Amino acid sequence: MIQSIAVLGSTGSIGQNTLDVIARHPDRYRVFALVAHSRIDLLEQQIVQFRPEVAVVVDRVAAESLRSRIALLGVQTQILCGSDAIVDLVQRPEVDTVMAAIVGAAGLPSAMAAARAGKRLLLANKEALVMAGDLFMNAVRESGAVLLPIDSEHNAIFQSLPADYQRNPERHGVAHITLTASGGPFRGFDRVRLADVTPAQAVSHPKWSMGPKISVDSATLMNKGLEVIEAHYLFGIGPQQIKVVVHPQSTIHSLVQYADGSVIAELGAPDMRTPIAHALAWPDRIVSGVEWLDLVACGRFDFMAPDLEAFPCLRLAFAALAQGGRAPAVLNAANEVAVAAFLAGRIGFMQIPEIIEATLGVVDHCAIGNLEDVLEADRIARIHAESRVASLS
Ligand code: NAD
Ligand code: MG
């Protein structure tokens, strides 16, 4: 049966890679809906190529102009606007599969709605799990949604765990998991050198081509911090059992160590089309367009411990996870504010962890009961982080 897919964040890095894989398999997949907030010209091209039933644009003015442009081209796609339309869309019975690839906290409501609606959910938006991990995983369990991780490390862990791991985790003897980190563009820099790095340097990642926010997160190591929290919720693994190692070649995407000493890992070229194709087809396998891994060309693999002195964001993420309650949502919100301020040239690179730490220190971390609590923690943390930015810039 053909899978009908809604691609949220279709004009982003993950969204474009998803459409690249889908276009290779017209016999398996149909694009039912596209959703984007920016790069509306690209969205228009995607609409013309994939002819979805529906496209959603967040902004009303952009939606109106897109509506008249595609009408002129004779394309039938219905153009909707607003964030609520995204939440409604993912619950529609015509949608089998949701690719959740909106960046940041903005992706939480639609990813959560897809989880509650019991969809096949391809989750790239790690921020949703960081902010609302327990609620999210409960929604998946209660609805029977099929949750497949797109983040390359988590997709690698998923592939390295036994198929029935989630049903009975204890019997499989997982000792710990190791997330690999490329180290980002500033690997080896000390705090003095990091003080002067620019946004342009931060977004030019040596191994992965990604959107600007996650590229800065990779440069600060906050991306790995968010991924530690993501792994904790996805696989039900305690923080002490999650390790991080810097592996500049980004060929080993992550590893699982078992009680008997076995280590199972997933390797491949650093290209997101592999985890995307894996999740689209699971449990089948399909062609993704990714180059074969040539081990001789790789030559060598290096590993080193992360430098928590120069890159405190990873330490802050572990601390927020240990604290629990609203702390991960506060960490995420403060990070989004600080990264946006850095990209806008308002603060320096080393002020990103400073703002996050200060925000974690002032916002209360009581328990989370429902999604409203998460959104409130997010809102309050943003206010504190913004005022901190203003005092620094
Ligand atoms: P990106 O910035 O390239 O794209 C983001 C997409 O989301 C765009 O289509 C944008 O228009 C859309 N968007 C932004 N705000 C929106 C809003 N309020 N409502 C609706 N749509 C909105 O980002 P990306 O690199 O593709 O990352 C997307 C998500 O996937 C992030 O959560 C990121 O952490 C995760 N991820 C990305 C990669 C990667 O290789 N790029 C790898 C692992 C995980
Ligand atoms: Mg990743």
Side-chain angles (χ1 to χ4, degrees), residues 8 33 57 67 80 82 141 161 186 262 278 303 389:
L8 317 185
V57 186
R67 207 170 279 141
L80 303 175
R141 273 186 288 272
L161 287 169
F186 307 135
S262 302
H278 169 267
F303 304 98
V389 168

Side-chain angles (χ1 to χ4, degrees), residues 186-262:
F186 307 135
R187 181 173 51 84
F189 282 34
D190 60 15
R191 294 178 71 96
V192 176
R193 275 181 85 192
L194 286 172
D196 295 326
V197 299
T198 65
Q201 290 171 308
V203 298
S204 57
H205 196 277
K207 283 286 169 194
W208 298 93
S209 159
M210 309 181 288
K213 189 261 177 183
I214 182 175
S215 296
V216 176
D217 287 347
S218 293
T220 60
L221 286 198
M222 181 53 95
N223 184 49
K224 215 46 55 182
L226 298 177
E227 291 182 356
V228 166
I229 302 173
E230 183 185 10
H232 164 71
Y233 289 116
L234 269 178
F235 305 114
I237 291 178
Q240 307 80 1
Q241 289 170 282
I242 306 175
K243 300 180 187 300
V244 172
V245 66
V246 174
H247 165 46
Q249 289 86 1
S250 293
T251 304
I252 301 175
H253 296 146
S254 280
L255 321 90
V256 179
Q257 303 233 3
Y258 290 88
D260 59 7
S262 302

Side-chain angles (χ1 to χ4, degrees), residues 120-142:
R120 184 178 171 104
L121 175 53
L122 280 45
L123 187 68
N125 178 256
K126 65 190 83 184
E127 294 90 347
L129 270 182
V130 170
M131 295 172 73
D134 281 329
L135 293 177
F136 199 91
M137 295 309 291
N138 284 340
V140 167
R141 273 186 288 272
E142 280 164 21

Side-chain angles (χ1 to χ4, degrees), residues 358-379:
T359 308
L360 279 167
V362 289
V363 178
D364 97 72
H365 296 145
C366 50
I368 283 176
N370 54 39
L371 195 56
E372 284 314 305
D373 295 342
V374 177
L375 298 176
E376 191 197 55
D378 177 81
R379 193 178 55 78

Side-chain angles (χ1 to χ4, degrees), residues 39 71 74 95 116 145 157 231 239 243 255 265 287 318 357 372 388:
R39 308 184 69 185
V95 174
R116 285 180 175 154
I157 299 288
K243 300 180 187 300
L255 321 90
V287 165
F318 267 108
E357 188 154 25
E372 284 314 305
R388 194 83 193 178

Side-chain angles (χ1 to χ4, degrees), residues 8-15 17 35-39 58 83 86 100-104 106-107 124-127 150-153 208-214 217 223 227 272:
L8 317 185
S10 69
T11 58
S13 162
I14 293 289
N17 277 312
V35 174
H37 183 39
S38 50
R39 308 184 69 185
V58 180
S83 300
I86 311 173
I102 292 173
V103 60
N125 178 256
K126 65 190 83 184
E127 294 90 347
I150 293 298
D151 217 341
S152 58
E153 296 77 3
W208 298 93
S209 159
M210 309 181 288
K213 189 261 177 183
I214 182 175
D217 287 347
N223 184 49
E227 291 182 356
M272 289 307 291

